[in-house]
Amino acid sequence: MSKTSRDPGARPEPSASEPSTHPIRLEVNGARKELRVAPWTTLLDLLRESLDLTGTKKGCDHGQCGACTVLVDGKRINSCLTLAVMKDGAQVTTIEGLASGETLHPMQQAFVDQDAFQCGYCTPGQICSAVGLLAEGKAKSLDDVRELMSGNLCRCGAYPNILAAIEQARRQSSGGTTP
């Protein structure tokens, strides 16, 4: 077969102007979404660019700062390192999906109560990570919280207030007692 002949049964290749896309289904903040995505689209880019959920921040784009942290099936992940096609069928919760109407999620309220943000850029990732952290049930002490939140960076240095907010929410979720 010559280099210029084509196999008549072969699937036509997409042109350079039409990248191949794949259908995926997600539940994002309680709403079912059916989308077509290029295989290289990150979950972060899908959320921000396709779904206009800009609360999730693009920080380093290398999984080192945590600004892009969201909850997928209740677990915290760096959405900049996750391809959207890998999460087909998943339940995704962003900062926009934590509140219930006008009522803030207890972690969001704790961040307000403790003034746990300065510029606020890292706050959505910090809050989503903290919600996931409490759901994991591994944080038994302030040192545990510090260690388990170490993947979320704050350039402003609001760590003491962030820690206080997480501790406030942890106390509230455990009925006011701390181990």
Side-chain angles (χ1 to χ4, degrees):
M1 190 180 269
S2 75
K3 290 182 179 177
T4 57
S5 65
R6 291 181 136 296
D7 177 0
R11 186 189 268 180
E13 293 183 29
S15 71
S17 63
E18 298 178 35
S20 80
T21 59
H22 301 279
I24 65 168
R25 291 182 180 155
L26 297 171
E27 183 180 314
V28 180
N29 298 331
R32 187 178 170 107
K33 305 287 182 184
E34 295 189 20
L35 307 145
R36 293 197 65 84
V37 298
W40 55 82
T41 304
T42 64
L43 182 57
L44 172 62
D45 288 338
L46 175 74
L47 293 169
R48 289 184 58 81
E49 296 171 16
S50 299
L51 299 177
D52 201 30
L53 295 170
T54 57
T56 304
K57 302 301 183 207
K58 185 177 274 203
C60 67
D61 218 15
H62 296 286
Q64 297 174 349
C65 73
C68 67
T69 304
V70 297
L71 301 170
V72 175
D73 296 330
K75 303 210 182 294
R76 54 197 175 136
I77 66 158
N78 290 333
S79 61
C80 74
L81 296 180
T82 305
L83 296 175
V85 294
M86 294 169 56
K87 297 304 172 188
D88 186 19
Q91 179 184 9
V92 179
T93 305
T94 68
I95 191 70
E96 293 93 344
L98 289 177
S100 179
E102 295 295 315
T103 304
L104 294 177
H105 183 281
M107 187 64 71
Q108 290 171 308
Q109 186 61 55
F111 267 65
V112 171
D113 294 348
Q114 297 296 328
D115 194 24
F117 44 85
Q118 288 180 28
C119 81
Y121 196 82
C122 72
T123 304
Q126 295 273 2
I127 290 173
C128 284
S129 188
V131 168
L133 170 118
L134 293 186
E136 292 165 8
K138 296 177 186 173
K140 305 296 183 200
S141 69
L142 291 176
D143 284 339
D144 291 344
V145 172
R146 283 185 194 94
E147 177 66 27
L148 294 167
M149 289 293 293
S150 65
N152 291 82
L153 304 179
C154 172
R155 291 181 184 238
C156 300
Y159 293 114
N161 298 36
I162 291 168
L163 185 60
I166 295 169
E167 183 60 16
Q168 175 183 319
R170 187 168 75 93
R171 276 193 316 269
Q172 289 173 343
S173 70
S174 66
T177 61
T178 55

